Amino acid sequence: MLETTPEPFMWPTFSGRGGVFRLPSSRFSSTMFRHLGYLLQGAIFIGSGLSKVTAPADTVAEIKKTLFPKLFNELTGGAVKLDLTLLTQAIGVAMLLFGTMLIVGFARRLAAWALFFLLAAITAFVHVNLENPKATPLPDMIQVMKNASILGSLLVVANAPRFPKAAVRNASPSDKPKRS
């Protein structure tokens, strides 16, 4: 079996011509940047989840201002009482769980899809004025755009290949997936 030595890590440099910034192209750096991205994505949800679990009052007050409680009562016909504190804490626990899964790498694609749908629902029901979308205040529109960028990054993670190409390329011939 042919063994290869890993490429040494090289710091980003500026080239002499035109000052073009070049990042190293080693497999180590691409893996490092990918895991840094997972860490940053998960940290957003862990931080938000912690605040929702430990101090739900601010989020409950924000939800009360929205159309969500009214839509929930219409949907259930008033048969189910909506406890916004419990709902907020449940959302916080889900964010903590799936954010941690995203960082650790356990069922990362499942966690990304769960966070995608959770964040999409929060964005639609809390930050958009559903009665008159054009009347949505500017701070909420900024929040919608920020959430849209997070949703896009979650889609990238959710649709990432299960095994990176470098791992398949360096596998022995018996370990490579069979093409049908």
Side-chain angles (χ1 to χ4, degrees):
M1 198 180 292
L2 179 66
E3 287 195 32
T4 60
T5 58
E7 296 176 21
F9 178 75
M10 295 176 54
W11 291 99
T13 59
F14 285 97
S15 72
R17 294 173 296 168
V20 177
F21 185 70
R22 297 187 191 280
L23 288 173
S25 61
S26 70
R27 278 181 251 132
F28 170 75
S29 64
S30 66
T31 301
M32 180 182 67
F33 289 131
R34 185 172 57 246
H35 288 288
L36 178 63
Y38 296 146
L39 176 68
L40 293 173
Q41 277 184 319
I44 291 170
F45 292 102
I46 289 173
S48 180
L50 277 173
S51 72
K52 285 174 178 38
V53 169
T54 58
D58 294 339
T59 306
V60 168
E62 192 174 339
I63 293 173
K64 283 181 180 178
K65 295 179 201 172
T66 67
L67 195 60
F68 180 72
K70 181 181 172 186
L71 288 173
F72 184 82
N73 281 337
E74 287 179 10
L75 182 66
T76 61
V80 178
K81 185 180 181 315
L82 180 62
D83 183 2
L84 291 177
T85 303
L86 185 62
L87 176 68
T88 300
Q89 289 177 328
I91 290 171
V93 168
M95 287 182 164
L96 281 169
L97 173 69
F98 294 123
T100 303
M101 288 171 64
L102 198 65
I103 292 173
V104 172
F106 178 74
R108 186 174 280 145
R109 295 168 74 183
L110 172 70
W113 278 116
L115 288 170
F116 176 84
F117 288 117
L118 182 65
L119 185 60
I122 290 169
T123 302
F125 287 114
V126 176
H127 297 296
V128 177
N129 182 349
L130 294 176
E131 290 177 327
N132 185 5
K134 290 183 179 180
T136 301
L138 182 61
D140 281 335
M141 286 307 297
I142 292 170
Q143 193 72 17
V144 167
M145 295 309 294
K146 179 194 70 103
N147 287 358
S149 67
I150 295 171
L151 289 169
S153 68
L154 287 170
L155 283 176
V156 169
V157 173
N159 291 304
R162 187 168 288 182
F163 302 104
K165 289 180 183 176
V168 173
R169 188 178 335 123
N170 294 329
S172 65
S174 62
D175 293 339
K176 288 188 180 181
K178 306 278 189 259
R179 294 186 183 176
S180 50

